[in-house]
Amino acid sequence: MALRRVFLLRSAAPRVAGLSTAPQAGEQPAASPGAVQAWGAAEAVRRPVPVVDFSNTQEAYRSRRSWELVRNLLVLRLCASRVLLAHHEQLFHVARKLLGQRMFDRLMKMTVYGHFVAGEDQESIRPLIQHNKAFGVGSILDYGLEEDLSPEEAERKEMESCTSEAERDSRGTNKREKQYQVHPAFGDRRDGVICARTYFYANEAKCDNYMERLLQTIEASGGASDGGFSAIKLTALGRPQFLLQFSDVLTRWRRFFHQVAAEQGQSGRAAVDTKLEVVVLQESIAKMGIASRAEIKGWFTPETLGVSGTVDLLNWNSLIDSRTQLSRHLVVPNVQTGQLEPLLSRFTEEEEQQMKRMLQRMDVLAKKARDSGVRLMIDAEQSYFQPAISRLTLEMQRRFNVDKPLIFNTFQCYLKDAYDNVTMDMELARREGWCFGAKLVRGAYMAQERARAVEIGYEDPVNPTYEATNAMYHRCLNYVLEELKRSPRAEVMVASHNEDTVRFTLRRMEELGLHPDDGQVSFGQLLGMCDQISFPLGQAGFPVYKYVPYGPVMEVLPYLSRRALENSSIMKGAQRERQLLWQELRRRLRTGHLFHHPA
């Protein structure tokens, strides 16, 4: 069965050393020792943790020359202008024609590209990485390639790559739930997306090329003693049809668990607290006619479920992996028709091979990261891909997070089920003895997710308000921080530009006794944004990283263009950052330090 091949990961990768991207200790007094020690033991004597002041412009911008502050101001101001953003593509086109490609590239490097992107290749990004590292800020390297497709081309590629051969022949039409069916109105997944690259499947050769780029990125992030990061997106590694189908499987299986829980009077409970009585569950499954009562009884043994006499969602999810006999009975009742339906559609031989190659690429990247001393950050994507992405990431964590977190999953807290997802993964890591690693974000696909749910006709997966998303973020974060106190090998990255969230984290760390030198809690922001948060944290000894895209100007330009356009709301919220930049420039002018040289 195709689902069993989810766990067939066999390819290998050579050991390669490379450029360190973690914050470096000892280069100057304020540099961060915390991030460097994320992989080792804490110091015998704890240093006092300095108070972090996000309003101290002298410290926040100590790493920046005055001309860089002026550029920052200019770019942030341009990104907040609706008029310029509305016509930015035309302006880029005119500028290229007037200046020529060479001069246009230089102009971009002096402005928007130079602000948000580290450089074109591994060599050109080295000075920025080393400079930031000297001031306590590490790097999450991300090759920023994105095709410059028209909306029509993007839609065509998406429709082709997300539809199986059986569905094209009308044999499997509408078997998947609405959320996991491709829709032409949302074929261009770039629409309404904030700060996230988007990849469209073309063929297997392109996926192999992207994997090679990622291997180079991991090599650039290398250095086993420093523990840098590289970011990857699973939709770039293979045909997205598989992610849609597998997400449908996982969601329907999980929903069936909650239906049975409701029948047992347990509706409304958090997933981690919901437990089904095995005897009642066996009876419910027997009535479905899937298998004999004796066979069903054999699925629920002390070896697979323990001796509690109950089944929780983690036990339930384990029943569909390749280690149990139930995996061949992947059917659930259709609520509308009352009929039993197979969870997973049949794959053609070619589709089977495409799926296996996607899993093999993941394995190659994970082994390369392990051998290079680099941690892999698996980016979150749209909710209709995410169940599969999270499950595949979890399988990688089981294999590679043995002694320390090597693979980090990303949880988007604008989703209603974020808390259940975080708590269940952390509980599974505790039970099975591997190291939990996670990045918490608010999310990049909110507007698109809402519009898609309304148009196609399924429940909106997003929290109803921004305030609800903030509450969800802090709820998930608080749970993880409390668990970190009990799980010294677990780690979390707080990826946020929100000063209140960062302050909340610092306060809870102090209350729980989580010292920054242990490296369990790190922080992340985008390159070119919120230096007033990143650098004070790094100089105070907290592990902090910038998300650092790189790549040739014309290949990165589509991504940059959308970031400026779709992130305009965030840019408007950057008024405080602009005020601090002006404040620091005035201070330097007033004190005679306009030609400040970072040291």
Side-chain angles (χ1 to χ4, degrees):
M1 179 174 285
L3 181 63
R4 297 183 180 183
R5 289 177 172 77
V6 168
F7 312 108
L8 299 179
L9 306 175
R10 296 175 182 163
S11 301
R15 180 184 179 92
V16 181
L19 173 66
S20 161
T21 56
Q24 181 167 316
E27 295 194 36
Q28 53 96 36
S32 168
V36 179
Q37 296 176 2
W39 300 74
E43 296 172 345
V45 179
R46 296 289 193 185
R47 64 180 176 84
V49 180
V51 175
V52 181
D53 183 0
F54 299 130
S55 299
N56 186 335
T57 61
Q58 183 174 355
E59 288 302 308
Y61 301 114
R62 186 155 61 92
S63 65
R64 298 289 179 247
R65 295 178 174 85
S66 295
W67 71 263
E68 292 178 290
L69 301 186
V70 173
R71 182 186 66 185
N72 292 1
L73 270 170
L74 173 65
V75 172
L76 292 176
R77 186 66 192 90
L78 291 175
C79 289
S81 169
R82 289 187 179 181
V83 175
L84 289 176
L85 290 176
H87 303 286
H88 72 283
E89 290 184 350
Q90 297 95 313
L91 291 173
F92 285 159
H93 179 71
V94 171
R96 273 202 303 272
K97 289 190 69 173
L98 292 177
L99 299 175
Q101 190 63 52
R102 185 175 178 181
M103 288 300 295
F104 176 77
D105 286 355
R106 293 187 64 179
L107 174 65
M108 293 303 297
K109 289 178 181 179
M110 292 170 59
T111 54
V112 179
Y113 177 95
H115 182 73
F116 288 118
V117 182
E120 295 195 276
D121 51 37
Q122 295 182 42
E123 286 304 313
S124 63
I125 67 177
R126 186 181 297 269
L128 176 67
I129 289 173
Q130 297 290 0
H131 179 79
N132 285 353
K133 192 169 75 169
F135 288 88
V137 177
S139 298
I140 305 170
L141 291 191
D142 178 25
Y143 189 74
L145 170 66
E146 185 175 303
E147 284 188 282
D148 191 9
L149 299 175
S150 69
E152 293 76 21
E153 288 176 301
E155 179 186 325
R156 178 181 58 79
K157 285 191 173 186
E158 185 75 352
M159 295 299 293
E160 290 176 356
S161 63
C162 288
T163 306
S164 68
E165 185 174 316
E167 289 168 333
R168 282 194 292 273
D169 293 342
S170 299
R171 295 195 301 269
T173 304
N174 295 326
K175 287 295 183 182
R176 286 184 247 157
E177 294 196 355
K178 289 182 177 180
Q179 184 173 359
Y180 303 104
Q181 295 176 22
V182 66
H183 194 286
F186 299 91
D188 187 353
R189 287 184 280 114
R190 299 168 298 183
D191 287 345
V193 175
I194 296 175
C195 294
R197 289 162 293 109
T198 304
Y199 296 95
F200 295 94
Y201 180 85
N203 51 53
E204 292 298 297
K206 272 211 163 184
C207 294
D208 287 336
N209 289 338
Y210 179 71
M211 183 187 71
E212 291 300 323
R213 291 285 194 181
L214 286 175
L215 290 172
Q216 295 171 15
T217 300
I218 292 170
E219 183 177 349
S221 300
S225 63
D226 287 333
F229 283 96
S230 287
I232 66 174
K233 278 188 176 291
L234 294 196
T235 50
L237 296 179
R239 190 181 182 93
Q241 167 205 337
F242 168 57
L243 296 177
L244 280 174
Q245 289 182 271
F246 193 25
S247 291
D248 186 42
V249 168
L250 296 169
T251 301
R252 292 167 71 184
W253 189 248
R254 184 167 176 169
R255 184 177 295 122
F256 181 42
F257 173 86
H258 286 297
Q259 288 173 355
V260 177
E263 293 173 4
Q264 295 190 17
Q266 297 192 57
S267 59
R269 290 189 182 182
V272 75
D273 298 323
T274 304
K275 302 182 188 300
L276 307 182
E277 296 295 329
V278 172
V279 175
V280 180
L281 177 59
Q282 288 173 334
E283 186 64 26
S284 297
I285 296 175
K287 290 178 181 178
M288 293 167 54
I290 294 176
S292 67
R293 292 179 185 273
E295 190 174 9
I296 293 169
K297 188 174 181 179
W299 299 338
F300 302 94
T301 64
E303 181 182 0
T304 57
L305 303 179
V307 295
S308 65
T310 61
V311 177
D312 63 18
L313 187 55
L314 293 178
N315 304 137
W316 182 254
N317 287 339
S318 73
L319 291 175
I320 66 168
D321 77 25
S322 59
R323 293 170 291 186
T324 66
Q325 291 299 311
L326 183 57
S327 59
R328 67 187 178 89
H329 296 285
L330 289 174
V331 295
V332 294
N334 184 308
V335 178
Q336 281 73 36
T337 66
Q339 301 296 311
L340 294 176
E341 294 182 351
L343 276 173
L344 196 61
S345 303
R346 289 178 177 269
F347 286 104
T348 66
E349 185 175 347
E350 182 182 2
E351 289 168 344
E352 288 262 6
Q353 291 301 315
Q354 290 171 345
M355 182 181 67
K356 288 200 301 188
R357 283 196 289 268
M358 178 182 188
L359 301 175
Q360 289 166 352
R361 291 180 190 111
M362 293 171 59
D363 194 51
V364 168
L365 293 170
K367 288 178 177 176
K368 173 80 167 189
R370 178 192 62 194
D371 295 342
S372 301
V374 174
R375 291 172 284 182
L376 281 189
M377 193 77 74
I378 311 300
D379 283 344
E381 303 194 43
Q382 284 88 348
S383 64
Y384 44 91
F385 293 136
Q386 194 56 44
I389 291 171
S390 291
R391 180 60 184 261
L392 295 175
T393 302
L394 187 149
E395 291 302 323
M396 293 169 69
Q397 290 177 315
R398 278 173 162 156
R399 296 181 60 213
F400 293 98
N401 289 13
V402 178
D403 300 315
K404 54 198 174 187
L406 178 79
I407 310 296
F408 280 62
N409 197 4
T410 300
F411 296 93
Q412 299 188 103
C413 294
Y414 68 49
L415 295 175
K416 294 175 182 176
D417 61 0
Y419 182 77
D420 282 347
N421 294 335
V422 170
T423 56
M424 296 305 291
D425 275 18
M426 200 153 201
E427 173 63 15
L428 185 65
R430 186 190 64 78
R431 289 187 191 183
E432 296 183 345
W434 47 270
C435 302
F436 179 83
K439 177 178 71 171
L440 297 183
V441 301
R442 279 173 171 78
Y445 306 96
M446 184 180 297
Q448 184 187 96
E449 295 274 16
R450 287 197 189 285
R452 191 177 188 272
V454 171
E455 176 70 23
I456 300 178
Y458 57 86
E459 182 184 353
D460 186 355
V462 177
N463 288 314
T465 63
Y466 178 76
E467 289 73 24
T469 293
N470 281 343
M472 178 66 78
Y473 192 103
H474 286 194
R475 184 186 184 199
C476 293
L477 176 57
N478 192 59
Y479 176 87
V480 172
L481 292 175
E482 290 180 351
E483 286 297 312
L484 292 187
K485 185 64 178 176
R486 295 186 283 269
S487 305
R489 294 189 302 162
E491 295 180 19
V492 66
M493 175 174 284
V494 182
S496 176
H497 299 111
N498 188 306
E499 284 188 22
D500 291 336
T501 293
V502 175
R503 288 193 183 94
F504 171 83
T505 307
L506 297 177
R507 187 181 75 248
R508 291 297 289 138
M509 287 179 67
E510 182 179 7
E511 293 168 353
L512 294 167
L514 296 170
H515 198 279
D517 288 358
D518 294 335
Q520 284 188 277
V521 183
S522 58
F523 298 86
Q525 289 84 38
L526 293 169
L527 182 69
M529 295 185 65
C530 294
D531 283 357
Q532 81 276 12
I533 293 178
S534 307
F535 285 90
L537 284 171
Q539 291 162 25
F542 289 88
V544 58
Y545 296 83
K546 285 291 193 182
Y547 212 88
V548 179
Y550 73 98
V553 173
M554 294 309 297
E555 292 184 8
V556 177
L557 197 59
Y559 166 59
L560 274 179
S561 174
R562 289 191 308 101
R563 170 179 286 183
L565 182 64
E566 292 150 2
N567 219 23
S568 58
S569 60
I570 293 179
M571 294 303 178
K572 290 172 188 172
Q575 286 185 358
R576 170 171 163 75
E577 190 169 354
R578 296 200 300 270
Q579 290 170 356
L580 292 175
L581 287 165
W582 273 118
Q583 183 178 325
E584 175 60 11
L585 280 172
R586 287 195 297 267
R587 186 198 67 79
R588 291 183 183 184
L589 183 61
R590 186 176 63 252
T591 59
H593 291 90
L594 193 59
F595 298 101
H596 167 75
H597 183 78

PDB file of all heavy atoms in Angstrom, residues 353-373:
ATOM      1  N   GLN A 353       6.404   6.174  -7.673  1.00  0.00           N
ATOM      2  CA  GLN A 353       7.812   6.532  -7.799  1.00  0.00           C
ATOM      3  C   GLN A 353       8.051   7.987  -7.435  1.00  0.00           C
ATOM      4  O   GLN A 353       9.046   8.320  -6.790  1.00  0.00           O
ATOM      5  CB  GLN A 353       8.286   6.253  -9.233  1.00  0.00           C
ATOM      6  CG  GLN A 353       8.363   4.787  -9.596  1.00  0.00           C
ATOM      7  CD  GLN A 353       9.300   4.016  -8.681  1.00  0.00           C
ATOM      8  OE1 GLN A 353      10.406   4.474  -8.381  1.00  0.00           O
ATOM      9  NE2 GLN A 353       8.868   2.849  -8.237  1.00  0.00           N
ATOM     10  N   GLN A 354       7.150   8.872  -7.839  1.00  0.00           N
ATOM     11  CA  GLN A 354       7.276  10.286  -7.496  1.00  0.00           C
ATOM     12  C   GLN A 354       7.223  10.485  -5.992  1.00  0.00           C
ATOM     13  O   GLN A 354       7.991  11.274  -5.426  1.00  0.00           O
ATOM     14  CB  GLN A 354       6.171  11.085  -8.184  1.00  0.00           C
ATOM     15  CG  GLN A 354       6.332  11.200  -9.685  1.00  0.00           C
ATOM     16  CD  GLN A 354       5.116  11.808 -10.354  1.00  0.00           C
ATOM     17  OE1 GLN A 354       4.048  11.907  -9.765  1.00  0.00           O
ATOM     18  NE2 GLN A 354       5.269  12.218 -11.610  1.00  0.00           N
ATOM     19  N   MET A 355       6.313   9.765  -5.333  1.00  0.00           N
ATOM     20  CA  MET A 355       6.193   9.889  -3.890  1.00  0.00           C
ATOM     21  C   MET A 355       7.452   9.383  -3.190  1.00  0.00           C
ATOM     22  O   MET A 355       7.974  10.017  -2.270  1.00  0.00           O
ATOM     23  CB  MET A 355       4.975   9.109  -3.396  1.00  0.00           C
ATOM     24  CG  MET A 355       4.747   9.218  -1.898  1.00  0.00           C
ATOM     25  SD  MET A 355       3.319   8.253  -1.372  1.00  0.00           S
ATOM     26  CE  MET A 355       3.914   6.608  -1.686  1.00  0.00           C
ATOM     27  N   LYS A 356       7.973   8.236  -3.642  1.00  0.00           N
ATOM     28  CA  LYS A 356       9.170   7.689  -3.014  1.00  0.00           C
ATOM     29  C   LYS A 356      10.360   8.621  -3.200  1.00  0.00           C
ATOM     30  O   LYS A 356      11.176   8.793  -2.290  1.00  0.00           O
ATOM     31  CB  LYS A 356       9.481   6.310  -3.589  1.00  0.00           C
ATOM     32  CG  LYS A 356       8.507   5.237  -3.136  1.00  0.00           C
ATOM     33  CD  LYS A 356       9.051   3.835  -3.284  1.00  0.00           C
ATOM     34  CE  LYS A 356       9.412   3.491  -4.694  1.00  0.00           C
ATOM     35  NZ  LYS A 356       9.759   2.049  -4.839  1.00  0.00           N
ATOM     36  N   ARG A 357      10.455   9.254  -4.378  1.00  0.00           N
ATOM     37  CA  ARG A 357      11.575  10.176  -4.603  1.00  0.00           C
ATOM     38  C   ARG A 357      11.479  11.400  -3.695  1.00  0.00           C
ATOM     39  O   ARG A 357      12.495  11.927  -3.238  1.00  0.00           O
ATOM     40  CB  ARG A 357      11.632  10.587  -6.077  1.00  0.00           C
ATOM     41  CG  ARG A 357      12.219   9.514  -6.981  1.00  0.00           C
ATOM     42  CD  ARG A 357      12.610  10.080  -8.339  1.00  0.00           C
ATOM     43  NE  ARG A 357      11.453  10.415  -9.129  1.00  0.00           N
ATOM     44  CZ  ARG A 357      10.859   9.600  -9.996  1.00  0.00           C
ATOM     45  NH1 ARG A 357      11.308   8.370 -10.159  1.00  0.00           N
ATOM     46  NH2 ARG A 357       9.821  10.001 -10.706  1.00  0.00           N
ATOM     47  N   MET A 358      10.274  11.872  -3.420  1.00  0.00           N
ATOM     48  CA  MET A 358      10.096  12.993  -2.493  1.00  0.00           C
ATOM     49  C   MET A 358      10.612  12.612  -1.106  1.00  0.00           C
ATOM     50  O   MET A 358      11.338  13.379  -0.456  1.00  0.00           O
ATOM     51  CB  MET A 358       8.620  13.372  -2.419  1.00  0.00           C
ATOM     52  CG  MET A 358       8.314  14.497  -1.451  1.00  0.00           C
ATOM     53  SD  MET A 358       6.526  14.819  -1.387  1.00  0.00           S
ATOM     54  CE  MET A 358       6.499  16.312  -0.386  1.00  0.00           C
ATOM     55  N   LEU A 359      10.262  11.416  -0.642  1.00  0.00           N
ATOM     56  CA  LEU A 359      10.706  10.971   0.674  1.00  0.00           C
ATOM     57  C   LEU A 359      12.211  10.757   0.696  1.00  0.00           C
ATOM     58  O   LEU A 359      12.877  11.050   1.698  1.00  0.00           O
ATOM     59  CB  LEU A 359       9.979   9.673   1.044  1.00  0.00           C
ATOM     60  CG  LEU A 359       8.450   9.762   1.077  1.00  0.00           C
ATOM     61  CD1 LEU A 359       7.841   8.398   1.341  1.00  0.00           C
ATOM     62  CD2 LEU A 359       7.993  10.762   2.120  1.00  0.00           C
ATOM     63  N   GLN A 360      12.764  10.268  -0.391  1.00  0.00           N
ATOM     64  CA  GLN A 360      14.209  10.078  -0.459  1.00  0.00           C
ATOM     65  C   GLN A 360      14.952  11.409  -0.425  1.00  0.00           C
ATOM     66  O   GLN A 360      16.019  11.517   0.195  1.00  0.00           O
ATOM     67  CB  GLN A 360      14.566   9.293  -1.726  1.00  0.00           C
ATOM     68  CG  GLN A 360      14.157   7.833  -1.654  1.00  0.00           C
ATOM     69  CD  GLN A 360      14.189   7.135  -2.997  1.00  0.00           C
ATOM     70  OE1 GLN A 360      14.378   7.775  -4.041  1.00  0.00           O
ATOM     71  NE2 GLN A 360      13.997   5.827  -2.996  1.00  0.00           N
ATOM     72  N   ARG A 361      14.397  12.429  -1.070  1.00  0.00           N
ATOM     73  CA  ARG A 361      15.034  13.761  -1.024  1.00  0.00           C
ATOM     74  C   ARG A 361      15.047  14.287   0.418  1.00  0.00           C
ATOM     75  O   ARG A 361      16.040  14.889   0.851  1.00  0.00           O
ATOM     76  CB  ARG A 361      14.289  14.731  -1.935  1.00  0.00           C
ATOM     77  CG  ARG A 361      14.445  14.428  -3.423  1.00  0.00           C
ATOM     78  CD  ARG A 361      13.680  15.408  -4.302  1.00  0.00           C
ATOM     79  NE  ARG A 361      13.658  14.955  -5.689  1.00  0.00           N
ATOM     80  CZ  ARG A 361      12.577  14.532  -6.332  1.00  0.00           C
ATOM     81  NH1 ARG A 361      11.393  14.539  -5.719  1.00  0.00           N
ATOM     82  NH2 ARG A 361      12.654  14.121  -7.576  1.00  0.00           N
ATOM     83  N   MET A 362      13.954  14.094   1.130  1.00  0.00           N
ATOM     84  CA  MET A 362      13.923  14.500   2.535  1.00  0.00           C
ATOM     85  C   MET A 362      15.017  13.796   3.323  1.00  0.00           C
ATOM     86  O   MET A 362      15.698  14.402   4.157  1.00  0.00           O
ATOM     87  CB  MET A 362      12.551  14.176   3.142  1.00  0.00           C
ATOM     88  CG  MET A 362      11.400  14.985   2.595  1.00  0.00           C
ATOM     89  SD  MET A 362       9.804  14.355   3.166  1.00  0.00           S
ATOM     90  CE  MET A 362       9.994  14.491   4.941  1.00  0.00           C
ATOM     91  N   ASP A 363      15.198  12.514   3.051  1.00  0.00           N
ATOM     92  CA  ASP A 363      16.200  11.728   3.766  1.00  0.00           C
ATOM     93  C   ASP A 363      17.609  12.213   3.454  1.00  0.00           C
ATOM     94  O   ASP A 363      18.454  12.333   4.353  1.00  0.00           O
ATOM     95  CB  ASP A 363      16.043  10.257   3.376  1.00  0.00           C
ATOM     96  CG  ASP A 363      16.811   9.337   4.307  1.00  0.00           C
ATOM     97  OD1 ASP A 363      16.643   9.458   5.526  1.00  0.00           O
ATOM     98  OD2 ASP A 363      17.599   8.511   3.808  1.00  0.00           O
ATOM     99  N   VAL A 364      17.878  12.510   2.189  1.00  0.00           N
ATOM    100  CA  VAL A 364      19.195  13.030   1.789  1.00  0.00           C
ATOM    101  C   VAL A 364      19.502  14.329   2.536  1.00  0.00           C
ATOM    102  O   VAL A 364      20.603  14.524   3.069  1.00  0.00           O
ATOM    103  CB  VAL A 364      19.240  13.262   0.265  1.00  0.00           C
ATOM    104  CG1 VAL A 364      20.482  14.062  -0.117  1.00  0.00           C
ATOM    105  CG2 VAL A 364      19.220  11.928  -0.476  1.00  0.00           C
ATOM    106  N   LEU A 365      18.521  15.222   2.592  1.00  0.00           N
ATOM    107  CA  LEU A 365      18.730  16.522   3.248  1.00  0.00           C
ATOM    108  C   LEU A 365      18.944  16.350   4.747  1.00  0.00           C
ATOM    109  O   LEU A 365      19.810  17.013   5.341  1.00  0.00           O
ATOM    110  CB  LEU A 365      17.533  17.434   2.980  1.00  0.00           C
ATOM    111  CG  LEU A 365      17.357  17.872   1.525  1.00  0.00           C
ATOM    112  CD1 LEU A 365      16.005  18.561   1.337  1.00  0.00           C
ATOM    113  CD2 LEU A 365      18.484  18.801   1.092  1.00  0.00           C
ATOM    114  N   ALA A 366      18.166  15.476   5.374  1.00  0.00           N
ATOM    115  CA  ALA A 366      18.308  15.276   6.820  1.00  0.00           C
ATOM    116  C   ALA A 366      19.676  14.692   7.156  1.00  0.00           C
ATOM    117  O   ALA A 366      20.316  15.107   8.132  1.00  0.00           O
ATOM    118  CB  ALA A 366      17.188  14.370   7.324  1.00  0.00           C
ATOM    119  N   LYS A 367      20.140  13.736   6.370  1.00  0.00           N
ATOM    120  CA  LYS A 367      21.448  13.138   6.634  1.00  0.00           C
ATOM    121  C   LYS A 367      22.576  14.140   6.395  1.00  0.00           C
ATOM    122  O   LYS A 367      23.565  14.170   7.137  1.00  0.00           O
ATOM    123  CB  LYS A 367      21.638  11.900   5.770  1.00  0.00           C
ATOM    124  CG  LYS A 367      20.784  10.718   6.232  1.00  0.00           C
ATOM    125  CD  LYS A 367      20.944   9.510   5.335  1.00  0.00           C
ATOM    126  CE  LYS A 367      20.135   8.334   5.871  1.00  0.00           C
ATOM    127  NZ  LYS A 367      20.184   7.157   4.963  1.00  0.00           N
ATOM    128  N   LYS A 368      22.409  14.951   5.359  1.00  0.00           N
ATOM    129  CA  LYS A 368      23.408  15.991   5.097  1.00  0.00           C
ATOM    130  C   LYS A 368      23.460  16.975   6.275  1.00  0.00           C
ATOM    131  O   LYS A 368      24.547  17.371   6.716  1.00  0.00           O
ATOM    132  CB  LYS A 368      23.036  16.731   3.810  1.00  0.00           C
ATOM    133  CG  LYS A 368      23.893  17.942   3.491  1.00  0.00           C
ATOM    134  CD  LYS A 368      25.202  17.548   2.859  1.00  0.00           C
ATOM    135  CE  LYS A 368      25.885  18.777   2.263  1.00  0.00           C
ATOM    136  NZ  LYS A 368      27.053  18.425   1.464  1.00  0.00           N
ATOM    137  N   ALA A 369      22.296  17.362   6.777  1.00  0.00           N
ATOM    138  CA  ALA A 369      22.243  18.285   7.914  1.00  0.00           C
ATOM    139  C   ALA A 369      22.901  17.664   9.140  1.00  0.00           C
ATOM    140  O   ALA A 369      23.690  18.310   9.838  1.00  0.00           O
ATOM    141  CB  ALA A 369      20.795  18.665   8.201  1.00  0.00           C
ATOM    142  N   ARG A 370      22.592  16.400   9.401  1.00  0.00           N
ATOM    143  CA  ARG A 370      23.187  15.715  10.558  1.00  0.00           C
ATOM    144  C   ARG A 370      24.706  15.673  10.446  1.00  0.00           C
ATOM    145  O   ARG A 370      25.420  15.969  11.407  1.00  0.00           O
ATOM    146  CB  ARG A 370      22.619  14.293  10.640  1.00  0.00           C
ATOM    147  CG  ARG A 370      23.194  13.461  11.788  1.00  0.00           C
ATOM    148  CD  ARG A 370      22.809  12.006  11.628  1.00  0.00           C
ATOM    149  NE  ARG A 370      23.362  11.452  10.379  1.00  0.00           N
ATOM    150  CZ  ARG A 370      22.961  10.300   9.848  1.00  0.00           C
ATOM    151  NH1 ARG A 370      21.999   9.594  10.421  1.00  0.00           N
ATOM    152  NH2 ARG A 370      23.516   9.863   8.730  1.00  0.00           N
ATOM    153  N   ASP A 371      25.199  15.318   9.274  1.00  0.00           N
ATOM    154  CA  ASP A 371      26.644  15.188   9.093  1.00  0.00           C
ATOM    155  C   ASP A 371      27.356  16.537   9.079  1.00  0.00           C
ATOM    156  O   ASP A 371      28.560  16.614   9.325  1.00  0.00           O
ATOM    157  CB  ASP A 371      26.943  14.444   7.793  1.00  0.00           C
ATOM    158  CG  ASP A 371      26.459  12.995   7.834  1.00  0.00           C
ATOM    159  OD1 ASP A 371      26.212  12.486   8.944  1.00  0.00           O
ATOM    160  OD2 ASP A 371      26.297  12.392   6.755  1.00  0.00           O
ATOM    161  N   SER A 372      26.611  17.604   8.769  1.00  0.00           N
ATOM    162  CA  SER A 372      27.220  18.942   8.704  1.00  0.00           C
ATOM    163  C   SER A 372      27.012  19.742   9.986  1.00  0.00           C
ATOM    164  O   SER A 372      27.444  20.883  10.070  1.00  0.00           O
ATOM    165  CB  SER A 372      26.628  19.719   7.518  1.00  0.00           C
ATOM    166  OG  SER A 372      26.857  19.045   6.309  1.00  0.00           O
ATOM    167  N   GLY A 373      26.314  19.158  10.959  1.00  0.00           N
ATOM    168  CA  GLY A 373      26.062  19.883  12.205  1.00  0.00           C
ATOM    169  C   GLY A 373      25.092  21.024  12.047  1.00  0.00           C
ATOM    170  O   GLY A 373      25.197  22.043  12.739  1.00  0.00           O
TER     171      GLY A 373
END
